[in-house]
Amino acid sequence: MFAFDKQYKSVPKPPRASTEQSSSANRNKPQPQGAPVDVEYSAHAKFLQQMEIYKTLKLAIKRADIGIIRRAFARCCLLFHGSNKSKYAFLSLYMTWITQTPAADQELQHAILANGLVNLRGAEDSWFEMDRLNEFFNLQMKTLMATRRTSSIDVATLFRTTALTASYCTDLKESIEQAFGEHTNSTHTAKDVSDDVRNLAFQIYSSGSIDERKDGRDSPFQPPDIVSRGCALIVNGVIRFNKLVVHGQWTGDELDDSSGLASTSIGVLDDYVTKEPEEDKSNMATLMI
């Protein structure tokens, strides 16, 4: 039915997809030594490269997408190694190891990722980090110190009698305000910055700063390429992590500023927090009333 023996003198035009792949391969070819570099355009590219990870992780936390959070840990390892954040790099490697390797089974990995988030409002997009909840609690403690601390009540006594009831008192305050028609809005209102972002983007576009120039261009600001640097340093970082954690050769002096890792003994904390002096019992009774 088809004449396959016919010889065609003209070569058929390649499909568009292959043409695009060829042009993309030409763009990805390494530049020869001494080729001009557009430093300003490169700075924009590096910013987007890092901001992509940040925005992805922020949205994943807001939506409690632990699958994306799991994948973001590996990319955070590169960023922290490239920016000389040794402690964060070590923690990123630890989270990658504990959530993406057989070091923990699937149920434990899921529990670790899920328990790092909290949702107080119950909405689908109102999740946030557990660390931020701790910061909210610290704010409540500071408020208690400013409003209820007296010369006869020290910090340990105040926290011992009010820390566990702080959340309950907050809910009670809101209920009383609703009953009497009063309301104190203590939430932080986020400013709408959409117009500012649009105006800034228009100014950057109008200035021609994001147009790549083949003849090169200099810039007073030259950010480091922390992703490339992280790729070069992460090999030694993984070897060091395996030595300390996986193979259990922890010495205590391996990390920079290891003094910050020293923990306070339980006995010291117990004496400070739970010890009840005889002279403070009357004050405690007054606070509890």
Side-chain angles (χ1 to χ4, degrees):
M1 182 180 296
F2 299 99
F4 291 105
D5 57 344
K6 187 179 294 185
Q7 299 294 328
Y8 293 95
K9 296 182 180 180
S10 61
V11 179
K13 186 177 181 180
R16 182 177 180 181
S18 61
T19 305
E20 292 178 352
Q21 293 177 358
S22 177
S23 60
S24 176
N26 293 331
R27 288 196 302 267
N28 294 331
K29 286 183 178 180
Q31 296 292 333
Q33 295 293 335
V37 178
D38 190 346
V39 179
E40 187 169 346
Y41 180 83
S42 176
H44 288 295
K46 293 173 184 176
F47 172 78
L48 294 177
Q49 191 178 42
Q50 301 169 24
M51 189 54 59
E52 178 188 6
I53 303 176
Y54 168 76
K55 296 294 290 185
T56 301
L57 184 59
K58 185 175 181 180
L59 181 60
I61 292 174
K62 186 177 181 180
R63 295 284 182 174
D65 192 335
I66 60 177
I68 296 181
I69 295 175
R70 186 201 309 266
R71 294 175 177 86
F73 284 142
R75 304 190 69 178
C76 290
C77 294
L78 296 178
L79 293 183
F80 291 135
H81 275 90
S83 56
N84 293 327
K85 303 296 183 180
S86 58
K87 292 184 179 180
Y88 288 111
F90 189 87
L91 292 176
S92 298
L93 286 175
Y94 181 82
M95 293 302 299
T96 303
W97 172 67
I98 203 69
T99 60
Q100 301 186 38
T101 67
D105 54 23
Q106 292 294 330
E107 291 77 9
L108 181 57
Q109 293 179 11
H110 185 90
I112 292 173
L113 293 169
N115 283 277
L117 304 175
V118 64
N119 190 343
L120 300 180
R121 292 166 47 195
E124 294 182 356
D125 59 347
S126 61
W127 293 85
F128 58 91
E129 310 89 323
M130 184 65 70
D131 290 345
R132 192 187 300 182
L133 181 64
N134 294 334
E135 295 297 332
F136 291 158
F137 181 76
N138 293 338
L139 177 60
Q140 289 181 332
M141 295 298 99
K142 290 182 179 180
T143 304
L144 288 174
M145 289 181 60
T147 57
R148 302 184 61 177
R149 184 181 180 184
T150 63
S151 58
S152 59
I153 302 176
D154 59 1
V155 177
T157 303
L158 179 63
F159 283 1
R160 184 168 58 248
T161 56
T162 59
L164 298 180
T165 60
S167 299
Y168 169 76
C169 292
T170 301
D171 297 337
L172 180 62
K173 170 178 170 292
E174 294 178 356
S175 300
I176 294 176
E177 289 178 348
Q178 292 178 1
F180 289 92
E182 297 290 338
H183 176 64
T184 302
N185 187 6
S186 59
T187 59
H188 176 70
T189 303
K191 178 185 176 182
D192 185 9
V193 296
S194 56
D195 291 339
D196 296 337
V197 173
R198 181 184 180 279
N199 294 334
L200 178 60
F202 180 77
Q203 292 179 9
I204 295 176
Y205 174 78
S206 301
S207 65
S209 177
I210 57 176
D211 297 333
E212 185 178 8
R213 299 182 182 179
K214 301 299 182 181
D215 55 348
R217 178 174 43 174
D218 198 5
S219 175
F221 177 68
Q222 300 182 14
D225 190 354
I226 63 176
V227 175
S228 298
R229 189 172 185 273
C231 292
L233 296 177
I234 195 171
V235 176
N236 292 331
V238 172
I239 295 175
R240 178 167 163 266
F241 176 83
N242 290 335
K243 175 184 175 183
L244 295 177
V245 178
V246 180
H247 302 301
Q249 299 179 10
W250 184 274
T251 62
D253 298 329
E254 298 290 342
L255 285 179
D256 298 334
D257 191 17
S258 59
S259 59
L261 300 175
S263 59
T264 306
S265 62
I266 298 298
V268 175
L269 292 177
D270 185 71
D271 293 340
Y272 180 74
V273 177
T274 62
K275 186 177 180 180
E276 300 181 4
E278 293 294 330
E279 60 272 18
D280 290 339
K281 289 185 177 180
S282 59
N283 295 331
M284 288 180 57
T286 303
L287 284 175
M288 294 176 67
I289 292 175

